[in-house]
Amino acid sequence: MGTVQLQLEKKENVGRNVKLSKIHKQINTMSSEIEKYVIKQNQLQNQIDELFAEKKVLQNKIDLLNECLSFDKIKRKISELENKQKILTSLESIINNLKNEIKPLEYLKHILHRQLMVSTLTSNDLDTQEQKNSENSQLTANSGCAIETLDSLSDISSEDSVMVLSEYEVVSDEDVISDMEKSVSNKVMYDEALQMASSMHSSLFESLTKNTESIATLSNVSDLMQDVSCVQPNLNDIVGTMSTSNKSEELLKMYDVVKDKNLLNCGKNDEVELKHNAEYVKSIAPGANQVTLSDKGSSDRHNSLNNKEHNMLKSSNDSWVKVNENGLLDIALKNEPTVDIIQEIIEDNTLSQGNIEIHTHRQNNKLANRSKDEIEILPFKLNTEDISREYNKQKEKIEIDAHKQNCQLTNVLKDSNEFTPLILNTGLISNEYNEQKNILVETHVENNKQLDQKFESKEDSSVNKNFENICYCMEYNYGNEIHNPICLTNNSKDEINSLMLNIEVSSVMKKCNDLSVNGDKPSPFNNDEKSLQPCHIDKCSIMDLNIELSNGIRDHGFENFMTLQQQFLFHCINGRDIIFHSYPCIGKSTICFISVLQKINTSLNECQAIILVPTLELALCGLKMIKSFGKFLNVSTCIGGSNVPRKVSPVPHVVISTPHGLCDMINCNSLCKDFIKILVVDDADEMFNYNGFFNNIRRVLLFLNNNPQLIVLSTSKLEEIFDQFSEVMQNPEYIIVPDEKPSLEDILQYCVNVPEEWKFDALYELYETLNLMRTVVYCKTWSKSLEVAVNLRLKSCTVSAVHQEMDTRDRKFIIQKFRSDLCKLLITTELLKGEDFSAVLWIVNYDLPTNSKDYVRRIVGCFNRRVRVINFITKNDSIAKKNIETSFNMCMLNFPQNVTDLCIPDLGSVNDSSLN
Ligand SMILES: Nc1ncnc2c1ncn2[C@@H]1O[C@H](COP(=O)(O)OP(=O)(O)OP(=O)(O)O)[C@@H](O)[C@H]1O
């Protein structure tokens, strides 16, 4: 049993071993198969990877293809092609112009050729050519003024042209007949030459007339002038030569020259109508008179008034009384106006009948509705040391000497009510100057606390500072807005008195809205808050703008007039001389152009307004604006200069020019002064930088007999402006608002916080993602601009850089390239005022300017308000950023995460007309 059991166990073991070995075998085969599978799997994985890589490549290709095929890209390409087409057309027009220029040059060449022939013949064979000369003279007589013209140009000779002309062999008709067989291809006959000369003569005139007319009218030439600037001067030289030559009279016969005397005594009705004679004033006197005093330049006025009897009521050695253009009485006194003098004047005038209002600098209490006997005239006396209340018994006015040590405005104000007008005598530097240097601040007090603050700030800025000049401030505080601060400086005592009194006139204008002495509209600038809001041009009730003009303004894209613009327009239309001094870009020039257009009568074919600007760029820019505003007015304009012919057709209603250009026009006798009723000096402060500026202005004023309304616009150098202009102005209105800032609310301004060293990458990123074009990038320095430009070019961006000191032609070329979209980015430190960049879409302040004036000039000066601004802000810029934001009462937006939202969707919507 035991052995059987053992055997059985053995068998079982053997069987188990066999099974085990089988299983082992199976495992081995399986593991070898697994290995095979793993290898296969790896192979498959590799294949998958390869396929993925291929897929990626294909995807990239697809993206690329998509990109190429994308609609926008195609559109852009098309617009680029269109722009190139435009450039081609402009090049064609340049070529045509060049061809036109070549014609007169050819003509001159032939003239020289002919003269050479004559002189050669004379010297070589005087005898034999006598007969020919007589023939020649006969022909000459037939060709009339052509020969005169040739003679007039006889002084033009050059060795080069002699060389050219020597190619020709001169022969007479007889020679040709006798030697017909000889080749005459290179010979010129007299009659042929003359024929050619006369045909060239007419083509010369055709071309000159066409060109000079186009220069004069400049309707579409502003761009052309830029394009063909290299061509135009030659032509101008020719015109210049011809008009200065003795014989040019012959040429000018072509023009219908109107003699000045023909124009005298014509068309002055407007002015006459505006003036009121004594009789008229007398008739409206009761209850409607205001007397204003002026002791400035009384002797001058004496003289001028002697010629203007019609509006002078009374004149004596010491005083005169006249009705000014606002229907108010101007009383000029040689001496200080004492009680006696004023009373005497009033008594001597029939105007004292009825009720009367008197405004002197001190006595502002309205005396309306009092009879003559009740009038108490207060002595003209300045600088009382004490706080004077004797005139303020009725709490109508409080006077304070601010320089008095213990003067506390708040204490004084305790006694005043909320609306007490306040006179503030301040600003004495030392007793020595007490007599001469007084400051008067008058303001309506809406809120005493607010005024107190203002007073303190005035103390800081003007009273306590040791300034040499007088600061004379007058503010009208309407609501929260400072309406009409006025500062006058550096004046003698006489001038101070006069200026005070003049301001009194304006205050009277403001206060007495209900009085309409001369039929003018009353001043709208009262406490009515509505008048202070920007107002829509159509709803601008204070002035009736020409319907055509308001259509033009709307068409230009302007909807509203700012408060100051309304104020300016009002005074300008009322014929006042104005000094408008403000922060840059407040809209002075714009409203001035509009006022000029409102004042001119386009049915009168005469020059009626002159606008002087410092540079030709500004003249071109102004011309464009005037053309645009006056689109429906049929207004003609021209840029002044020596190239304006004596008789331009149509006669420009408005001449816009540099002072030098206008003097050239005067020299050439091409300006008729008789109908000029307004002279504007725009950017007068900048003109001080130019030599001989004021001599030129004096010349212009002398030429115009100091007659026209004078408007002076400036943003700085107020003292100089007063020094130079206050003498020649009559009863000027001062709109002096150095602190009022333009609104930037409607301009999108983003900020990007970026460290200095990453600025370039940020710019490049923007260039790529926003697909930047028509973009101006401002850097702090020229070297930085260059560096940025070079680095961008290395990355295949199309950029250019310009700076102010660049050669004008190079600069123009680069700017033209930028305007034509041939380069996408323009990198600069500053653009010239007047250069037109209205098609620009983006401004990048690569370096943020440190002051708000530069900031506003950068973003408003040359661009339209659809432009978007990106400011790069580094740590160091945070203060400047804050200053800018508080100055303009706005907040820069953070740059959005998703920049594609900012992409300009459709370039086609951008006004292409402003491109070129
Ligand atoms: N009423 C208005 N509505 C919209 N834009 C205006 C208006 N008036 C002026 N602007 C714009 O404001 C910008 C500045 O105007 P403008 O050049 O007349 O100012 P300025 O005070 O003469 O400037 P500067 O002091 O630099 O000579 C211009 O781009 C102009 O087109």
Side-chain angles (χ1 to χ4, degrees):
M1 274 295 281
T3 46
V4 172
Q5 229 173 355
L6 272 172
Q7 277 175 348
L8 275 172
E9 275 177 7
K10 260 184 187 175
K11 266 183 190 174
E12 264 178 27
N13 278 341
V14 171
R16 218 180 284 148
N17 284 341
V18 171
K19 266 185 191 171
L20 270 174
S21 64
K22 268 184 187 173
I23 288 170
H24 272 297
K25 264 183 195 169
Q26 275 178 351
I27 287 170
N28 284 340
T29 48
M30 276 175 78
S31 57
S32 68
E33 268 179 25
I34 284 170
E35 267 176 27
K36 275 181 197 166
Y37 279 123
V38 168
I39 291 166
K40 266 192 184 173
Q41 192 190 358
N42 285 343
Q43 282 173 347
L44 280 171
Q45 189 59 48
N46 284 344
Q47 280 178 353
I48 287 168
D49 286 349
E50 276 171 20
L51 282 171
F52 265 116
E54 264 179 46
K55 188 186 160 193
K56 213 174 174 183
V57 171
L58 282 172
Q59 190 60 48
N60 282 345
K61 281 184 182 168
I62 289 167
D63 287 348
L64 211 67
L65 280 171
N66 276 345
E67 214 178 317
C68 291
L69 288 172
S70 82
F71 192 57
D72 276 356
K73 289 261 173 184
I74 290 173
K75 252 184 145 182
R76 216 172 302 132
K77 290 265 181 263
I78 290 172
S79 80
E80 272 174 23
L81 279 174
E82 277 172 358
N83 283 327
K84 280 180 187 160
Q85 182 75 37
K86 272 184 199 166
I87 293 165
L88 268 179
T89 1
S90 72
L91 280 173
E92 268 171 16
S93 80
I94 292 173
I95 290 168
N96 284 339
N97 282 323
L98 278 170
K99 276 184 186 162
N100 281 344
E101 278 221 12
I102 289 167
K103 275 188 197 169
L105 291 175
E106 275 178 353
Y107 172 53
L108 288 176
K109 189 180 121 185
H110 284 286
I111 291 165
L112 290 169
H113 171 217
R114 193 186 149 273
Q115 287 193 337
L116 191 75
M117 284 191 302
V118 173
S119 60
T120 317
L121 288 173
T122 315
S123 60
N124 285 354
D125 198 0
L126 208 63
D127 295 337
T128 53
Q129 294 302 324
E130 219 168 32
Q131 199 187 339
K132 291 171 193 170
N133 279 345
S134 71
E135 281 172 28
N136 183 24
S137 64
Q138 216 176 341
L139 288 164
T140 305
N142 292 339
S143 65
C145 72
I147 297 302
E148 285 285 308
T149 314
L150 304 186
D151 290 342
S152 76
L153 298 163
S154 60
D155 50 345
I156 304 169
S157 65
S158 85
E159 284 179 18
D160 288 350
S161 54
V162 172
M163 291 289 287
V164 173
L165 293 172
S166 62
E167 280 176 33
Y168 295 97
E169 186 190 335
V170 181
V171 290
S172 73
D173 289 0
E174 284 167 20
D175 291 339
V176 176
I177 295 162
S178 66
D179 198 7
M180 287 292 277
E181 273 77 28
K182 282 187 185 172
S183 160
V184 289
S185 59
N186 222 15
K187 297 176 181 178
V188 177
M189 291 181 290
Y190 288 129
D191 52 351
E192 220 177 277
L194 280 171
Q195 223 171 7
M196 207 177 333
S198 72
S199 81
M200 290 310 291
H201 175 257
S202 49
S203 75
L204 168 74
F205 269 112
E206 216 179 87
S207 134
L208 286 181
T209 316
K210 215 166 80 189
N211 279 289
T212 46
E213 267 173 22
S214 64
I215 294 163
T217 53
L218 264 166
S219 52
N220 294 316
V221 177
S222 53
D223 294 331
L224 193 67
M225 276 187 76
Q226 287 177 357
D227 293 340
V228 295
S229 53
C230 50
V231 176
Q232 208 63 54
N234 300 338
L235 186 64
N236 295 345
D237 286 350
I238 295 167
V239 180
T241 319
M242 296 185 85
S243 59
T244 51
S245 144
N246 288 339
K247 304 282 177 157
S248 63
E249 290 299 326
E250 292 294 331
L251 304 184
L252 289 172
K253 276 180 188 163
M254 297 283 291
Y255 298 109
D256 179 16
V257 180
V258 180
K259 294 244 164 61
D260 286 357
K261 68 177 174 196
N262 295 342
L263 300 174
L264 288 176
N265 309 321
C266 303
K268 291 205 165 180
N269 300 346
D270 288 357
E271 269 183 36
V272 173
E273 266 170 34
L274 280 176
K275 311 225 168 176
H276 294 263
N277 60 24
E279 290 308 314
Y280 175 61
V281 176
K282 279 177 207 164
S283 72
I284 57 163
N289 298 317
Q290 296 169 41
V291 179
T292 60
L293 299 176
S294 172
D295 62 352
K296 179 196 166 208
S298 53
S299 57
D300 292 349
R301 290 187 184 222
H302 266 303
N303 298 339
S304 64
L305 267 171
N306 288 336
N307 302 326
K308 295 184 180 177
E309 293 285 302
H310 60 277
N311 63 352
M312 185 173 78
L313 295 181
K314 179 186 182 331
S315 161
S316 73
N317 284 341
D318 297 325
S319 68
W320 55 254
V321 183
K322 75 156 186 160
V323 182
N324 70 22
E325 58 202 327
N326 298 313
L328 306 179
L329 284 187
D330 270 351
I331 301 176
L333 303 166
K334 269 190 176 170
N335 303 313
E336 284 184 349
T338 61
V339 183
D340 295 342
I341 290 172
I342 296 175
Q343 245 161 0
E344 196 187 315
I345 290 165
I346 293 168
E347 275 165 15
D348 284 356
N349 272 288
T350 46
L351 286 167
S352 57
Q353 313 286 323
N355 299 325
I356 190 162
E357 270 194 331
I358 299 175
H359 299 266
T360 71
H361 77 293
R362 278 296 283 275
Q363 191 228 335
N364 274 8
N365 298 345
K366 277 193 178 181
L367 299 176
N369 303 322
R370 295 185 191 186
S371 72
K372 187 185 78 181
D373 296 333
E374 287 176 298
I375 297 171
E376 179 198 1
I377 297 171
L378 299 166
F380 187 96
K381 196 171 147 213
L382 292 172
N383 306 322
T384 48
E385 282 293 313
D386 301 315
I387 297 172
S388 162
R389 300 200 181 198
E390 57 181 301
Y391 308 129
N392 305 310
K393 285 169 192 154
Q394 299 165 4
K395 291 253 180 355
E396 281 182 338
K397 189 156 288 191
I398 293 179
E399 292 198 14
I400 309 159
D401 249 351
H403 55 285
K404 197 166 189 278
Q405 296 268 313
N406 299 323
C407 169
Q408 282 292 321
L409 187 62
T410 29
N411 290 342
V412 177
L413 288 172
K414 269 184 209 159
D415 296 336
S416 67
N417 66 37
E418 237 194 352
F419 296 99
T420 306
L422 190 96
I423 287 187
L424 178 61
N425 289 331
T426 73
L428 305 179
I429 299 154
S430 68
N431 287 338
E432 192 185 336
Y433 288 118
N434 278 2
E435 281 287 301
Q436 292 179 9
K437 301 199 171 183
N438 240 22
I439 293 179
L440 182 110
V441 176
E442 179 173 337
T443 180
H444 287 271
V445 187
E446 280 275 296
N447 175 332
N448 291 347
K449 204 172 151 202
Q450 194 184 351
L451 181 82
D452 209 359
Q453 281 164 2
K454 258 190 225 149
F455 174 68
E456 277 164 19
S457 71
K458 284 276 176 284
E459 261 196 322
D460 285 348
S461 63
S462 46
V463 179
N464 287 345
K465 276 187 191 164
N466 186 16
F467 58 91
E468 277 289 297
N469 308 315
I470 295 169
C471 232
Y472 180 124
C473 301
M474 183 166 180
E475 291 182 354
Y476 277 87
N477 183 12
Y478 293 102
N480 292 327
E481 201 168 340
I482 298 173
H483 186 52
N484 186 18
I486 295 179
C487 305
L488 307 175
T489 54
N490 207 16
N491 296 290
S492 69
K493 183 183 174 188
D494 285 350
E495 282 169 329
I496 299 166
N497 295 342
S498 155
L499 292 169
M500 284 179 179
L501 294 164
N502 283 332
I503 284 167
E504 208 59 61
V505 175
S506 71
S507 74
V508 167
M509 287 280 286
K510 287 179 180 75
K511 287 174 193 164
C512 304
N513 296 311
D514 45 353
L515 287 178
S516 179
V517 177
N518 63 352
D520 279 345
K521 283 194 171 191
S523 169
F525 303 104
N526 52 16
N527 278 338
D528 178 4
E529 280 197 9
K530 275 182 202 160
S531 69
L532 300 165
Q533 304 303 323
C535 97
H536 193 277
I537 51 169
D538 288 341
K539 292 174 191 149
C540 196
S541 55
I542 54 162
M543 51 239 142
D544 300 320
L545 280 189
N546 274 335
I547 185 79
E548 292 87 359
L549 178 57
S550 48
N551 285 343
I553 298 169
R554 224 176 302 105
D555 198 67
H556 185 86
F558 291 175
E559 293 290 327
N560 299 313
F561 286 137
M562 306 301 134
T563 316
L564 286 169
Q565 291 184 318
Q566 294 168 54
Q567 193 179 354
F568 178 89
L569 190 56
F570 174 79
H571 292 302
C572 184
I573 290 171
N574 275 341
R576 298 287 300 272
D577 286 358
I578 302 173
I579 291 184
F580 190 174
H581 173 90
S582 79
Y583 204 81
C585 302
I586 206 95
K588 295 185 294 295
S589 314
T590 308
I591 197 63
C592 192
F593 297 153
I594 292 172
S595 312
V596 163
L597 286 174
Q598 171 72 14
K599 284 194 75 131
I600 59 171
N601 171 7
T602 42
S603 55
L604 176 67
N605 192 24
E606 293 294 347
C607 176
Q608 294 161 55
I610 292 176
I611 298 171
L612 296 178
V613 289
T615 61
L616 188 61
E617 281 80 17
L618 279 171
L620 285 166
C621 176
L623 187 107
K624 267 189 187 172
M625 274 181 111
I626 292 172
K627 283 252 160 218
S628 172
F629 293 142
K631 192 172 168 185
F632 306 109
L633 268 180
N634 206 14
V635 66
S636 57
T637 52
C638 92
I639 303 261
S642 57
N643 52 5
V644 180
R646 265 201 244 175
K647 182 72 183 168
V648 200
S649 179
V651 177
H653 297 114
V654 182
V655 173
I656 181 160
S657 170
T658 58
H660 186 259
L662 197 79
C663 287
D664 281 349
M665 257 182 107
I666 294 170
N667 290 342
C668 299
N669 239 347
S670 47
L671 188 67
C672 169
K673 65 182 178 189
D674 295 352
F675 300 90
I676 296 171
K677 51 185 168 192
I678 180 162
L679 171 67
V680 177
V681 186
D682 193 1
D683 286 324
D685 47 330
E686 284 189 25
M687 294 204 205
F688 284 111
N689 301 334
Y690 297 92
N691 280 344
F693 150 68
F694 209 75
N695 285 343
N696 285 335
I697 294 277
R698 269 186 219 287
R699 263 212 71 198
V700 174
L701 285 169
L702 210 69
F703 171 75
L704 299 174
N705 293 342
N706 288 352
N707 268 339
Q709 181 184 359
L710 181 56
I711 310 278
V712 179
L713 311 179
S714 74
T715 54
S716 61
K717 301 186 182 162
L718 190 57
E719 272 177 52
E720 284 97 325
I721 302 277
F722 274 116
D723 283 352
Q724 300 290 3
F725 288 100
S726 47
E727 266 177 30
V728 286
M729 291 183 129
Q730 298 230 345
N731 187 23
E733 178 71 29
Y734 301 99
I735 305 177
I736 295 174
V737 278
D739 295 328
E740 191 126 340
K741 314 261 179 2
S743 163
L744 302 182
E745 268 171 20
D746 50 339
I747 301 178
L748 272 176
Q749 298 155 76
Y750 297 101
C751 62
V752 179
N753 292 318
V754 56
E756 182 69 43
E757 59 275 18
W758 288 358
K759 274 186 181 173
F760 179 77
D761 295 325
L763 179 63
Y764 181 64
E765 179 105 6
L766 287 174
Y767 180 88
E768 290 281 287
T769 46
L770 291 180
N771 200 2
L772 285 185
M773 63 184 302
R774 296 188 199 166
T775 301
V776 172
V777 180
Y778 284 110
C779 293
K780 202 162 43 185
T781 59
W782 171 234
S783 56
K784 199 164 181 185
S785 316
L786 270 184
E787 187 189 316
V788 174
V790 168
N791 287 338
L792 282 172
R793 261 188 222 138
L794 287 176
K795 289 189 171 264
S796 314
C797 309
T798 49
V799 294
S800 291
V802 284
H803 68 107
Q804 287 199 341
E805 274 77 45
M806 219 170 196
D807 177 67
T808 322
R809 237 177 235 188
D810 294 347
R811 188 182 167 92
K812 274 186 181 164
F813 177 73
I814 291 174
I815 288 174
Q816 188 57 36
K817 221 170 81 176
F818 175 65
R819 285 204 191 120
S820 322
D821 282 346
L822 290 177
C823 88
K824 295 182 176 179
L825 262 58
L826 187 69
I827 303 181
T828 185
T829 49
E830 201 178 340
L831 294 176
L832 285 182
K833 217 170 140 188
E835 281 175 334
D836 180 17
F837 288 95
S838 47
V840 164
L841 302 172
W842 292 96
I843 294 171
V844 178
N845 277 319
Y846 194 89
D847 296 314
L848 192 74
T850 44
N851 69 60
S852 49
K853 268 191 191 172
D854 288 347
Y855 184 77
V856 77
R857 277 203 184 102
R858 276 187 181 186
I859 73 172
V860 179
C862 305
F863 309 100
N864 72 40
R865 298 181 89 91
R866 282 170 302 169
V867 77
R868 299 173 185 201
V869 184
I870 301 173
N871 297 307
F872 284 179
I873 311 286
T874 63
K875 264 187 195 168
N876 299 338
D877 293 327
S878 48
I879 295 174
K881 178 187 170 231
K882 220 171 195 141
N883 276 345
I884 290 168
E885 285 179 333
T886 41
S887 290
F888 299 107
N889 198 17
M890 55 87 183
C891 201
M892 293 178 196
L893 303 170
N894 280 330
F895 203 67
Q897 294 289 331
N898 187 4
V899 285
T900 44
D901 291 351
L902 291 177
C903 288
I904 309 278
D906 180 9
L907 267 182
S909 64
V910 176
N911 184 9
D912 275 334
S913 63
S914 48
L915 264 178
N916 297 307

